[in-house]
Amino acid sequence: LNDNPLHYKITLSGTVKSPKINFDPPFLMLMPVPLDVKTETAVNIIPQDYLRQSQIQVELPELELEDGGRICPFSVEFSEGQDIVFSSDGTNKELMCHISFRSSRPMSFLGTVFFIDEEEN
């Protein structure tokens, strides 16, 4: 290019993909159980388009009782860790988590459990 009047033009194109996670099953229903008995189910977390390692955090709902008190009857356990790992083949490893519910008081609940990565997606 030095002292050469010819101009070179380079055209670049690309697609931006935002990281996301899907769930299998996409929603869950825990079966009714006697008081103080744990009910539990496994959920497969399927990360997509993560280009670097990230970690999943969970926000569990607190429930308000009739007397005004609050409890969190849910718990989440990741059997193989909470890290989203970028594989050499360009995919992300799936994560397995177990969501459980236990309460010493009778209740039913419909709500949302939030799974959030380090960038608050």
Side-chain angles (χ1 to χ4, degrees), residues 47 50 52-54 83-87 91-95:
Y50 279 85
R52 62 178 179 264
Q53 184 171 326
S54 189
D83 292 333
I84 296 175
V85 178
F86 180 72
S87 301
T91 62
N92 298 119
K93 182 181 174 191
E94 296 179 1
L95 304 172

Side-chain angles (χ1 to χ4, degrees), residues 28-71:
L28 59 98
M29 184 182 323
L30 298 171
M31 299 309 297
V33 292
L35 295 178
D36 259 343
V37 173
K38 181 165 75 169
T39 182
E40 178 178 42
T41 192
V43 175
N44 195 20
I45 299 173
I46 307 160
Q48 294 179 319
D49 300 326
Y50 279 85
L51 300 177
R52 62 178 179 264
Q53 184 171 326
S54 189
Q55 190 174 70
I56 297 290
Q57 302 296 322
V58 182
E59 288 183 7
L60 299 172
E62 279 190 351
L63 308 179
E64 187 170 345
L65 302 172
E66 292 174 1
D67 64 6
R70 299 184 74 76
I71 63 167

Side-chain angles (χ1 to χ4, degrees), residues 15-26:
T15 303
V16 175
K17 293 184 176 183
S18 297
K20 63 182 176 181
I21 52 178
N22 292 312
F23 301 91
D24 183 28

Side-chain angles (χ1 to χ4, degrees), residues 71-83:
I71 63 167
C72 184
F74 295 96
S75 64
V76 174
E77 181 181 311
F78 289 85
S79 53
E80 298 175 14
Q82 295 172 239
D83 292 333

